[in-house]
Amino acid sequence: MEQANTEHSHGLEMDPQVEYSSSKLGMWLFLGTEIMLFGGLFAAYAIFRAKYPEMFLEQHQELNREMGAINTCILIFSSLTMAIAVTAIQKGKRMMSAILILVTLICGLGFGVVKYFEYGAKFAHHIYPDTSIFFSLYFMMTGLHMLHVFIGLIVLGVLMVLTWKGTFNEKYSTPVELGGLYWHLVDLIWIYLFPLLYLIG
Amino acid sequence: MANHAVATNVYVPFLEKKGILSWLYTTDHKRIGILYLISVSFFFLIAGIIALLMRIELLTPVSDFVSPHTYNVLFTLHGSLMVFFFIIPGLAASFGNFLIPLMIGARDVAFPKLNLGSYWIYLLGTVIVLIALFQPADTGWTFYTPYSATTDTDVILITLGVFVLGFSSILTGLNFIVTIHKMRAPGMTWHRLPLFIWASYATAVLQLLATPVVGITLLLLIAERSLGVGFFDPAKGGDPVLFQNFFWFYSHPAVYIMIIPAMGVISEIIPVFSRKPIFGYKAIAYSSLGIAFISFFVWAHHMFTAGISEVAATIFSFLTFLVAIPTAIKVFNWTATLYKGSIELHSAMLYALGFIFLFTIGGLTGVFLGALAADIHLHDTYFVVAHMHYVMIGGTVMGFFGALHFWYPKWFGKMFNEAVAKLAWFLVFVGFNVTFFPQFFLGVQGMPRRYATYPEEFESLMSLSTYGSWILGLGVLIMTVNLINGLFNGEKAPQNPYGSLSLEWQIPSPPPHENFEEIPHVTDWPYGYGKKKEVDA
Ligand code: HEM
Ligand SMILES: [Cu+2]
């Protein structure tokens, strides 16, 4: 069984190895709670789709597939740039990593802009969260996801500045890795949301 | 880091530093534990006073003390404060914080800053709920739709408070899991961990996985009221029972978030005051995990009368019976530990014995309720009220009081008056039974819960229950005064007053800021009382 290697440490500084694996474990646990949080909405989706298949079939046509598809591509691409950013900082390529995080951030912003126009178009057609069960789900699911994107943007912004300033290097890049994990989750959730909401039937 | 800096630090107890900021910005797990202890005790007392008011109303069959609406508000506040602000964070956050690093031989939790952050979030939730007290809701602590979606009272504020609190609970659970995995001292293998740690671990898993579900449920309820979302509204095609499913998916596991830490406390107190190794260490340890696991699959036993299908009801009834197995395993192992032990009736031990006795009644009546035919009759009656109080007061609160008396010398470095503590225990024990045992009979006779008035035939048992609540209240008052008095006038506590083998007793009382001068090497389990016995690692 694994043993914490805190034997020789004095004071509160943790052994870097232990600190690293602790942070990693903590982040995975956090992602688990995120999945349970969205899980509630996914469960509601499954129940109501089984109950009202026609409503879902009919009303999903109001959604803009092209915009949804563009956003899916944007997020997948941003996950890729984030993954490379993590590898880069692990190899000590600070500049490259910072630029890649910036690209990820711009993608995230792009996602938000597209979503802004989508929501705007819905409101213009007088479609609101209380229009129907389908749109309740649509707004709650994408809304909660958008909130996560927003938090992700803040995290990415901070990471970018810190990477730029040289806080991280090949020996210590835990926050970048954790931020990357979070961003991948945000991406993953969208990858489920897109077909469930936009591609019915 | 190979340099063994020789520890020549002078001993400075962690309580030494004064000033409010040194508390609000502390990352010391022992201090954060105290912050939680004060906060949850505060809510326990407030919600307790509200309960006494409710019992006064119930002294007579008519509503003469408060109006029926006020009564609804009172039981809503009592339930929500007790459940979400006292009993869920209660033992887990206060004693969990204090004990986990001490017991596993660490200097602090894995993420001390996050730990402080969790407390701040708890405070934020507290502030929201204190504001909500001025416009209280009247939905009951379960916030059932459709009523909670339509009542004129302010449901949003209090649910928002509970929602915020959920984050605190999640982050605390996360912190503890990582701490237990990563921060154990050398030689502290899984099977040498004190059973309180196993219990805390199981609790943390529940906090982590169940709490987000109540989070999203409350968020949807808020959206229902503010945005007109219709998931729970039949008029919009939604389903009010869906709310119950969501709510209990969290709230049944949550009853184990409440009780498992108390079970951990009992597993620590019993062997020390029986001077015997704990019986069935592994069975107790793994049954915590077993309970946690099964508790995710029984939620619909709260909904047997809500129109769920017969097949579903039968399956959930069967699964509910399963929970009783790991629960009973614990009770049998505690009694086996007591068997032929040289028992010392310290006040903490009295609470532990009270726990075993009362929790058994609570657990068994839970099995009655899990039986379909019986539940159709007993659902939403005083039988359920009695059941839940036997498990929550008879179980968790006994465990909480036991923990307070047991670790008090270690935590505060002072002793309380033992004779007064025993008197208080006696009043609490008697008062509790006089209050709640009659409620089983009331329930069987058909007295429904959540009413300010009742038919006259129930008056004798109802007023008996109210008299009991006064004895109980007096007991808690004496206990509180005794413990607070000990802080100022108590004698200085020795390092290890009970001759316990667990790590936290091998350092000064109160512990120094970073707990251990030298991280200990653990070579044995902490229950080797009397004869020598080692559980393999
Ligand atoms: C052997 C273990 C247990 C079993 C089999 C069990 C079973 C049940 C059942 C079937 C109900 C639903 C009754 C109804 O509404 O008709 C119930 C209610 C309840 N139980 Fe338990 N229970 C157990 C342990 C616990 C524990 C450990 C706690 C808390 C520490 C607890 C707290 C509650 C509460 C608060 C309610 C009432 C919820 C409400 O307000 O409607 N139970 N229990
Ligand atoms: Cu339950």
Side-chain angles (χ1 to χ4, degrees), chain B residues 248-305:
Chain B
W248 289 112
F249 184 84
Y250 164 74
S251 291
H252 185 82
V255 308
Y256 291 99
I257 295 178
M258 306 170 196
I259 196 75
I260 294 179
M263 293 170 156
V265 168
I266 303 309
S267 308
E268 298 301 330
I269 296 178
I270 298 264
V272 169
F273 292 117
S274 310
R275 304 317 290 173
K276 269 185 67 194
I278 187 100
F279 188 88
Y281 173 91
K282 283 188 190 171
I284 297 182
Y286 289 106
S287 61
S288 291
L289 297 179
I291 292 177
F293 179 73
I294 302 174
S295 75
F296 277 105
F297 305 99
V298 301
W299 77 89
H301 64 213
H302 296 272
M303 302 162 54
F304 287 152
T305 61

Side-chain angles (χ1 to χ4, degrees), chain A residues 7-18:
Chain A
E7 191 171 348
H8 298 298
S9 62
H10 280 275
L12 278 176
E13 295 100 69
M14 278 162 89
D15 180 304
Q17 200 77 48
V18 178

Side-chain angles (χ1 to χ4, degrees), chain B residues 132-291:
Chain B
L133 285 184
F134 293 99
Q135 317 170 329
D138 63 347
T139 58
W141 74 278
T142 46
F143 308 119
Y144 270 15
T145 53
Y147 186 66
S148 59
T150 52
T151 168
D152 295 330
T153 55
D154 193 342
V155 179
I156 292 188
L157 212 53
I158 189 158
T159 41
L160 190 68
V162 173
F163 177 78
V164 170
L165 226 62
F167 281 99
S168 160
S169 187
I170 290 173
L171 295 177
T172 302
L174 185 151
N175 215 335
F176 288 174
I177 293 185
V178 177
T179 305
I180 295 171
H181 269 280
K182 302 290 178 186
M183 310 286 287
R184 282 171 286 125
M188 182 60 92
T189 57
W190 285 92
H191 289 153
R192 285 180 187 155
L193 284 173
L195 288 163
F196 181 79
I197 301 297
W198 278 94
S200 300
Y201 188 86
T203 309
V205 172
L206 289 176
Q207 285 174 296
L208 206 66
L209 294 181
T211 316
V213 179
V214 81
I216 193 74
T217 311
L218 296 177
L219 208 59
L220 291 179
L221 179 60
I222 293 172
E224 191 106 351
R225 282 185 76 93
S226 57
L227 301 176
V229 164
F231 296 149
F232 308 130
D233 182 357
K236 293 179 181 152
D239 180 3
V241 178
L242 183 65
F243 179 87
Q244 297 189 22
N245 274 303
F246 276 10
F247 183 80
W248 289 112
F249 184 84
Y250 164 74
S251 291
H252 185 82
V255 308
Y256 291 99
I257 295 178
M258 306 170 196
I259 196 75
I260 294 179
M263 293 170 156
V265 168
I266 303 309
S267 308
E268 298 301 330
I269 296 178
I270 298 264
V272 169
F273 292 117
S274 310
R275 304 317 290 173
K276 269 185 67 194
I278 187 100
F279 188 88
Y281 173 91
K282 283 188 190 171
I284 297 182
Y286 289 106
S287 61
S288 291
L289 297 179
I291 292 177

Side-chain angles (χ1 to χ4, degrees), chain B residues 51 53-76 138 140 379-382 385 439 442 446-455 458 462 466:
Chain B
L53 296 179
M54 285 157 64
R55 282 298 346 156
I56 292 176
E57 166 54 43
L58 295 172
L59 191 58
T60 56
V62 289
S63 100
D64 40 15
F65 181 60
V66 293
S67 70
H69 173 74
T70 308
Y71 184 81
N72 294 352
V73 164
L74 287 181
F75 75 64
T76 302
D138 63 347
H379 176 70
D380 261 350
T381 68
Y382 264 70
V385 179
Q439 297 186 358
L442 284 164
M447 172 70 210
R449 61 195 277 214
R450 296 184 173 172
Y451 281 90
T453 60
Y454 52 87
F458 295 135
M462 273 299 212
T466 299

Side-chain angles (χ1 to χ4, degrees), chain A residues 158-169:
Chain A
V158 173
L159 287 176
M160 183 189 69
V161 173
L162 290 181
T163 311
W164 191 274
K165 282 174 147 177
T167 313
F168 308 121
N169 49 46

Side-chain angles (χ1 to χ4, degrees), chain B residues 83-136:
Chain B
V83 168
F84 298 110
F85 288 82
F86 165 63
I87 209 166
I88 289 181
L91 271 168
S94 62
F95 282 90
N97 256 307
F98 179 64
L99 289 174
I100 290 174
L102 292 179
M103 282 184 158
I104 65 175
R107 298 197 192 281
D108 210 315
V109 293
F111 309 116
K113 281 188 197 135
L114 182 68
N115 201 17
L116 177 62
S118 310
Y119 181 72
W120 283 352
I121 296 175
Y122 175 91
L123 268 192
L124 178 66
T126 307
V127 171
I128 296 177
V129 164
L130 287 180
I131 298 171
L133 285 184
F134 293 99
Q135 317 170 329

